[in-house]
Amino acid sequence: MALSWFLSLFLTSTLLSGCHSAAQNDRKAYIVYMGDITPQSEQSTSAPLHMSMLQNVVGRDVAPGSLLHSYKRSLNGFVAKLTEKEAQEMAGKEGVVSVFPSEKQKLHTTRSWDFIGFPQQVERCTVESDIIIGVFDTGIWPESDSFDDKGFGPPPSKWKGSCQTSNFTCNNKIIGAKYYRSDGTFEDGDIKSPRDSDGHGTHTASTAAGVLVGGASLLGLGSGTARGAVPSARLAIYKVCWEDGCQDADILAAFDDAIADGVDIISISLSSGLEDYFKNSIAIGSFHAMRKGILTSTSAGNGGPSLTTLTNFSPWTLSVAASTIDREFLTKVQLGNDKTFEGFSINTFDLKDKMFPIIYGGDAPNTTAGIEQSFSRYCTTGSLDQNLVKGKIVLCDSFTRGRGAILAGAVGMVITGRESGEVSETFPLPTSYLNPDDGAQIYIYINSTGSPMASISKSNEAKDRLAPYIPSFSSRGPNPISPNILKPDLAAPGVNILAAWSPIAPVLEGFEDDKRVVAYNFLSGTSMSCPHASGAAAYVKSFNPTWSPAAIKSSLMTTANPMSADLNSEAEFAYGAGQINPLNAACPGLIYDAVEDDYISFLCGQGYTTKLLQIVTGNSNSTCPDQGSHETTPDLNYPAFALSTTPSQTINHVFNRTVTNVGSPTSSYKANLVAPPGLKITVNPSVLSFKSLEEKLSYAVTVRGTVDKKVVVSASLVWDDGTYQVRSPIVVYVPT
């Protein structure tokens, strides 16, 4: 009887334990966002009370480690392991704004600053050394010459941050550094400190605020002086990205700290989700940063050239597209018949004109692995026969990073199929990327001679006379959530950018077989354009320390250099207001300012409720008009105009804007309009006369007419007083 009872108890216990383990396996990390921290809510931000909320949903028997992190410095909320059903229940609790999964997000110079008209000798303000840029990325390599603190004084008194000194030392340039890993799991290549083993974070930080370093190059390519926009500014590093990506929970934890630490600008070259604004870690964090006077600069994304591929688009952030500079790298392929072809790549290897046999990948399938010619021609990993490829240059029919060629023992690679708009890439072996016609000529040569030979030269620097334009990878608008907010905001250099690098990171990101050790490296992406804009924003703030994030953003947008739709048919959805011009942005003449209440009114118009927005802001005065009232939601005071319509629909739309005079105390601005056929655009009043600085005047832009099936129709408004030209793009478009 006793044995029977014991076995019954044991089996029940085992079954319950198994069910508990299964339930744990169904759980994943969710962010429970609870809005702002206020004096009234401070009692609800402690970990014990967050645990109480968790127990209320999960039960008293909460598994150890279920509460992963509590946000409690700048915003309220926590990260917990929940099932989908538990997350839904938690979302219905009083005081909870949203509950959403902590997803993994992706990471998205010697010439670039000069190209955009921002030379070393620009006027600088002594306040620049008080500006702190917070960089959210893979960490930093503090010993890089780009972060030398020679000549720097102690950190500004406003700084409240800290330095995690495990395997890491801060200085008076890098004044703070932290790392975040809420789930506590690390990959083999991860370093448990703010130190950068990837290179990406070191690159972005030095682009924004690196000191001047002469003679910087990638193994002789691109030699010159590497520098950031604000060499005297300080850096605060928040390592949120690891070998397996960047968790939303860690991104939000970094915002929680950075806002309280006292940074002035946040630079975040990462993707974000396409959920609504308050189920998006970057949108949430940057909203709280905005409320504290901190502008967040974000990368637009690398999902182009298709429309509506943006990953950062909230109106309170700066969304930055990538543009080219006038430097490109060309790599010659010399054939045994003395014909030469020029392709694109950043090739640091020098074969010294030595000829090697060249073979077509389609003629070298790895048949022992069941690979056919139709597949081996792409030279993917494992597709090539080592016995046929070793010691030869291989011709490949599609873009590949080179792992397949390297593993097969190739000494070089020629890739065919390059399309216009693609950028030069780095490869782990001598490589040239050719257009289809030139690739076809090499294929014909291989098949027309018994012993085809070839050599690949080290790259040469060339001038891209079409620059600037937007490369194909840069994500395009329109804004997927708020169609009448133009995104991206502007463009900045993001192609072939030379900047500091981690010496333990491979030159080719993610390719561990690349054994080159370098202090500077080339990267392309909106990850590179973002820190250009971050540095430019810091430059503007150094001259205008009291300006709001919206004012700084306005100055950068309205002074941007217009770009050409002839080179990018997506027009403003590719480049926003145009190419960034930091020199003019420091004194733009007029600014379009916006404060928290303006964004609340905007969010009301997006359908958010008074109750939710009061939790987000911690302010009982944050209210939306009653649904039954006739009060209309005012336009957000944005430095650009966008209007979504349908083909042949009659348009009669009015935009209302207010500008603040920051130029000449007494000035008169005249409106200059450029409008395409089919649209009639008027401005009322057409003259703005200011009598003092900081005076605000309002005007209205009326757009009438029809748009045919053309996706994007571009116009512009320039306010001109003879000294300052304040330009805003006007876009009317038909969603696709």
Side-chain angles (χ1 to χ4, degrees):
M1 181 72 175
L3 180 60
S4 174
W5 173 84
F6 175 78
L7 287 172
S8 175
L9 180 65
F10 173 76
L11 288 171
T12 301
S13 174
T14 302
L15 287 170
L16 287 173
S17 174
C19 291
H20 182 73
S21 298
Q24 281 298 106
N25 290 336
D26 289 339
R27 287 188 166 91
K28 64 180 182 180
Y30 281 85
I31 295 170
V32 181
Y33 171 54
M34 300 171 65
D36 191 51
I37 292 177
T38 66
Q40 293 75 28
S41 68
E42 282 181 355
Q43 297 303 313
S44 66
T45 61
S46 65
L49 286 171
H50 289 160
M51 177 60 80
S52 177
M53 291 180 65
L54 184 59
Q55 289 173 332
N56 187 260
V57 169
V58 177
R60 303 299 299 178
D61 186 23
V62 176
S66 292
L67 181 63
L68 298 175
H69 185 84
S70 285
Y71 306 116
K72 51 195 175 184
R73 296 187 70 194
S74 304
L75 53 97
N76 189 4
F78 58 94
V79 187
K81 290 183 178 179
L82 300 170
T83 65
E84 185 176 353
K85 183 178 179 181
E86 290 165 350
Q88 291 172 353
E89 183 180 347
M90 185 71 78
K93 295 296 182 182
E94 186 70 22
V96 173
V97 174
S98 60
V99 178
F100 56 98
S102 174
E103 304 287 2
K104 287 179 182 176
Q105 304 301 340
K106 297 179 180 179
L107 292 162
H108 286 155
T109 120
T110 56
R111 177 60 189 157
S112 57
W113 292 114
D114 288 325
F115 177 66
I116 61 174
F118 194 65
Q120 292 182 31
Q121 297 78 19
V122 296
E123 179 186 358
R124 296 194 179 274
C125 182
T126 56
V127 178
E128 184 177 302
S129 63
D130 290 337
I131 301 296
I132 305 169
I133 301 177
V135 180
F136 294 15
D137 215 294
T138 62
I140 197 168
W141 192 264
E143 293 83 7
S144 169
D145 289 344
S146 288
F147 311 120
D148 190 340
D149 69 346
K150 183 179 180 180
F152 280 77
S157 58
K158 66 183 178 183
W159 174 243
K160 307 299 181 188
S162 60
C163 187
Q164 290 177 311
T165 55
S166 173
N167 188 30
F168 193 92
T169 302
C170 290
N171 58 20
N172 285 328
K173 177 66 175 178
I174 304 171
I175 60 175
K178 299 176 183 178
Y179 68 96
Y180 302 82
R181 189 66 172 177
S182 59
D183 63 9
T185 62
F186 295 90
E187 303 290 326
D188 289 341
D190 290 331
I191 300 176
K192 298 179 185 180
S193 86
R195 185 172 293 279
D196 180 16
S197 60
D198 178 270
H200 191 277
T202 301
H203 197 281
T204 56
S206 66
T207 300
V211 302
L212 276 65
V213 179
S217 73
L218 172 62
L219 300 174
L221 296 181
S223 182
T225 299
R227 61 187 173 96
V230 278
S232 299
R234 317 301 178 113
L235 287 165
I237 304 303
Y238 300 86
K239 182 177 177 179
V240 297
C241 298
W242 304 83
E243 288 276 328
D244 62 348
C246 323
Q247 288 280 1
D248 280 321
D250 299 329
I251 294 168
L252 203 52
F255 271 109
D256 190 32
D257 280 339
I259 295 167
D261 287 345
V263 304
D264 296 291
I265 304 291
I266 291 174
S267 183
I268 181 164
S269 294
L270 311 176
S271 65
S272 67
L274 295 178
E275 297 283 351
D276 72 59
Y277 292 126
F278 295 117
K279 291 185 178 180
N280 178 313
S281 62
I282 295 178
I284 290 170
S286 59
F287 183 83
H288 286 275
M290 173 275 297
R291 298 182 70 234
K292 298 296 184 181
I294 303 164
L295 175 63
T296 301
S297 173
T298 66
S299 48
N302 295 340
S306 297
L307 293 173
T308 323
T309 48
L310 292 165
T311 64
N312 289 297
F313 40 76
S314 59
W316 46 83
T317 61
L318 182 65
S319 178
V320 189
S323 60
T324 59
I325 61 174
D326 62 345
R327 175 177 62 193
E328 58 188 4
F329 292 94
L330 303 178
T331 305
K332 290 182 180 179
V333 179
Q334 177 79 39
L335 301 182
N337 62 2
D338 290 333
K339 287 188 176 180
T340 299
F341 299 92
E342 205 163 47
F344 290 76
S345 69
I346 301 174
N347 178 40
T348 66
F349 302 99
D350 191 354
L351 297 180
K352 301 185 183 300
D353 296 327
K354 183 179 178 181
M355 288 286 183
F356 291 87
I358 183 169
I359 188 171
Y360 175 52
D363 294 334
N366 183 3
T367 54
T368 58
I371 303 298
E372 298 181 353
Q373 290 178 315
S374 60
F375 189 68
S376 67
R377 69 192 186 98
Y378 300 121
C379 304
T380 55
T381 303
S383 67
L384 298 171
D385 186 335
Q386 184 175 351
N387 294 323
L388 297 174
V389 172
K390 188 175 182 179
K392 298 177 182 177
I393 293 171
V394 60
L395 174 67
C396 308
D397 273 345
S398 181
F399 181 85
T400 173
R401 283 292 189 180
R403 189 180 297 275
I406 284 276
L407 293 177
V411 297
M413 184 170 62
V414 177
I415 308 172
T416 183
R418 180 186 181 274
E419 296 180 1
S420 177
E422 292 188 71
V423 302
S424 296
E425 302 273 0
T426 304
F427 298 89
L429 75 169
T431 300
S432 185
Y433 190 15
L434 304 179
N435 65 50
D437 290 342
D438 289 348
Q441 291 297 311
I442 293 179
Y443 175 78
I444 292 170
Y445 165 71
I446 290 173
N447 286 280
S448 63
T449 181
S451 301
M453 305 289 285
S455 186
I456 301 172
S457 301
K458 187 174 181 177
S459 295
N460 288 311
E461 190 171 324
K463 197 172 187 66
D464 184 350
R465 301 189 183 280
L466 294 178
Y469 55 88
I470 306 300
S472 58
F473 67 76
S474 188
S475 291
R476 267 66 168 175
N479 190 319
I481 291 181
S482 305
N484 290 353
I485 298 293
L486 180 64
K487 290 287 177 171
D489 291 307
L490 46 70
V495 175
N496 297 341
I497 305 302
L498 183 73
W501 195 247
S502 170
I504 63 172
V507 169
L508 180 57
E509 279 189 289
F511 199 97
E512 298 303 326
D513 294 328
D514 188 345
K515 301 303 181 183
R516 289 171 289 179
V517 177
V518 301
Y520 290 83
N521 194 13
F522 284 103
L523 287 184
S524 295
T526 56
S527 281
M528 286 61 256
S529 59
C530 170
H532 277 87
S534 307
Y539 179 74
V540 172
K541 189 173 181 68
S542 71
F543 285 92
N544 306 281
T546 63
W547 278 10
S548 70
I552 295 171
K553 176 177 171 178
S554 171
S555 72
L556 293 169
M557 291 177 66
T558 61
T559 58
N561 293 324
M563 295 179 69
S564 173
D566 293 339
L567 298 175
N568 293 106
S569 61
E570 311 88 357
E572 283 79 8
F573 290 148
Y575 45 69
Q579 174 88 321
I580 198 167
N581 184 346
L583 199 57
N584 286 355
C587 193
L590 303 175
I591 55 172
Y592 294 80
D593 208 355
V595 295
E596 180 181 329
D597 287 347
D598 298 309
Y599 292 113
I600 293 301
S601 295
F602 162 79
L603 290 167
C604 290
Q606 295 287 294
Y608 292 92
T609 65
T610 292
K611 182 179 178 180
L612 182 142
L613 293 173
Q614 286 178 347
I615 299 172
V616 168
T617 63
N619 184 353
S620 60
N621 294 322
S622 298
T623 59
C624 296
D626 293 334
Q627 288 186 344
S629 75
H630 296 290
E631 184 179 349
T632 59
T633 303
D635 288 343
L636 183 61
N637 199 36
Y638 214 70
F641 305 86
L643 179 63
S644 171
T645 186
T646 57
S648 302
Q649 175 187 346
T650 300
I651 302 167
N652 187 358
H653 187 87
V654 179
F655 297 96
N656 295 292
R657 294 291 189 269
T658 299
V659 288
T660 304
N661 181 25
V662 295
S664 305
T666 303
S667 54
S668 182
Y669 286 83
K670 294 181 180 179
N672 294 324
L673 283 163
V674 176
L679 290 182
K680 180 181 180 182
I681 303 177
T682 57
V683 182
N684 185 32
S686 60
V687 176
L688 298 176
S689 297
F690 294 92
K691 297 179 177 62
S692 64
L693 290 175
E694 302 302 322
E695 182 181 357
K696 298 178 184 292
L697 293 176
S698 298
Y699 68 92
V701 172
T702 302
V703 180
R704 295 187 179 92
T706 58
V707 175
D708 57 19
K709 293 183 180 181
K710 187 177 180 182
V711 174
V712 185
V713 177
S714 301
S716 65
L717 165 64
V718 178
W719 289 105
D720 190 345
D721 74 339
T723 301
Y724 301 104
Q725 290 75 45
V726 186
R727 182 182 182 275
S728 292
I730 303 172
V731 178
V732 180
Y733 70 100
V734 177
T736 57

